[in-house]
Amino acid sequence: MARQHVSSSNKINVAIDGPAGAGKSTVARLVAKALSYVYVDTGAMYRAATWYMMCKEIPAENVQKVLQHVPELVIELVPDPTGQKVYCNGEDVTTVIRSMEVTSNVSQYSSIAGLRTRLTENQREMAARKGVVMDGRDIGTTVLPDAEVKVFMTASVQERASRRFKELSETDDITLEQLERDIAARDKLDEEREVSPLRCSEDAIVLDTTHMGIQDVVDTIVSYCLTEKDGEISQ
């Protein structure tokens, strides 16, 4: 697809939601690049908060203590030539927040209402000027309900597990079967949590990516954005 740009005076916000392992972050980053927009990885923000609380040895079950430490959290998403950098209270946590330990605990921490409220406020501030591509699990329903383009990305549990398995290094001691179980369990947690559960916004476009390549998914979402702003886009 030829590179296309949305006029700076008519930028829109794009919300991409979906379950764990659907490839939202990779796709959202590429969509933002294609549109010359800002990419906001909300999942990385929750991972950073999870990492921070785990370093403090505060379990997610101790909600009161988690909330006591929420005000001191400073999470920054910084553009970088090699990809977005994530900082937590000044420390580069880009790599460590992708560990299996953080992955297996992030749903528990992200279900805490006070923590979600704090991060949601930060995310809305980032999107206030428009021209943002944001991915997560409740972007279209809770964080940016007025986003002009909403996409709910999904794929089969088997396909999502396979994609994640390919991303793991040889030092990650986990089987494909275990990943399938973990992702299915993560889906259940995200869908059943009381605060901002994973669900598809009524006005979102459902995109099943099970049999789609990354670039096909990116091109499809970019086309939705261009259609939304048809007549206001310079090519």
Side-chain angles (χ1 to χ4, degrees):
M1 173 179 286
R3 190 175 179 82
Q4 298 164 301
H5 298 276
V6 176
S7 171
S8 60
S9 61
N10 293 295
K11 288 186 174 182
I12 63 175
N13 284 333
V14 184
I16 301 177
D17 289 306
K24 301 183 299 295
S25 296
T26 299
V27 167
R29 186 180 297 110
L30 292 172
V31 168
K33 182 178 181 181
L35 296 172
S36 294
Y37 276 16
V38 174
Y39 167 55
V40 179
D41 183 354
T42 65
M45 296 176 72
Y46 284 103
R47 284 173 174 272
T50 297
W51 171 84
Y52 184 77
M53 296 300 170
M54 291 175 69
C55 286
K56 293 280 188 181
E57 298 185 349
I58 304 172
E61 292 77 15
N62 193 339
V63 174
Q64 184 177 359
K65 195 165 185 181
V66 169
L67 295 180
Q68 287 176 355
H69 288 268
V70 164
E72 65 198 44
L73 267 176
V74 179
I75 300 172
E76 300 171 278
L77 304 178
V78 181
D80 185 84
T82 60
Q84 195 171 64
K85 292 285 188 180
V86 184
Y87 291 87
C88 184
N89 289 39
E91 183 173 349
D92 184 349
V93 296
T94 308
T95 301
V96 71
I97 63 172
R98 300 295 172 182
S99 69
M100 287 303 300
E101 187 176 14
V102 170
T103 298
S104 62
N105 284 279
V106 67
S107 280
Q108 288 87 337
Y109 286 96
S110 63
S111 66
I112 298 174
L115 176 59
R116 293 198 73 84
T117 298
R118 169 66 181 273
L119 295 187
T120 294
E121 290 172 353
N122 293 347
Q123 292 153 12
R124 286 175 178 161
E125 290 172 2
M126 294 177 189
R129 294 183 179 180
K130 298 287 188 177
V132 157
V133 179
M134 193 176 293
D135 73 290
R137 287 169 177 73
D138 65 342
I139 309 305
T141 56
T142 303
V143 182
L144 300 179
D146 296 325
E148 289 83 354
V149 172
K150 299 179 184 180
V151 178
F152 190 87
M153 277 180 59
T154 188
S156 68
V157 170
Q158 293 76 17
E159 176 63 22
R160 287 185 279 140
S162 177
R163 292 173 183 173
R164 183 147 289 178
F165 187 71
K166 292 174 183 176
E167 295 173 352
L168 298 176
S169 67
E170 294 180 359
T171 58
D172 289 301
D173 186 21
I174 188 168
T175 64
L176 178 59
E177 291 73 19
Q178 181 61 51
L179 273 176
E180 288 184 11
R181 289 193 292 271
D182 288 351
I183 286 177
R186 177 81 182 272
D187 287 352
K188 184 175 175 63
L189 279 172
D190 289 340
E191 291 167 359
E192 295 181 353
R193 70 188 181 205
E194 292 184 11
V195 182
S196 296
L198 169 67
R199 60 186 176 86
C200 180
S201 175
E202 292 182 358
D203 55 349
I205 301 167
V206 178
L207 187 60
D208 188 332
T209 69
T210 302
H211 303 294
M212 297 176 71
I214 291 176
Q215 193 57 51
D216 290 335
V217 177
V218 171
D219 290 347
T220 298
I221 296 177
V222 168
S223 72
Y224 295 154
C225 299
L226 299 183
T227 298
E228 175 66 25
K229 283 298 181 182
D230 188 25
E232 300 178 314
I233 299 167
S234 59
Q235 302 195 25

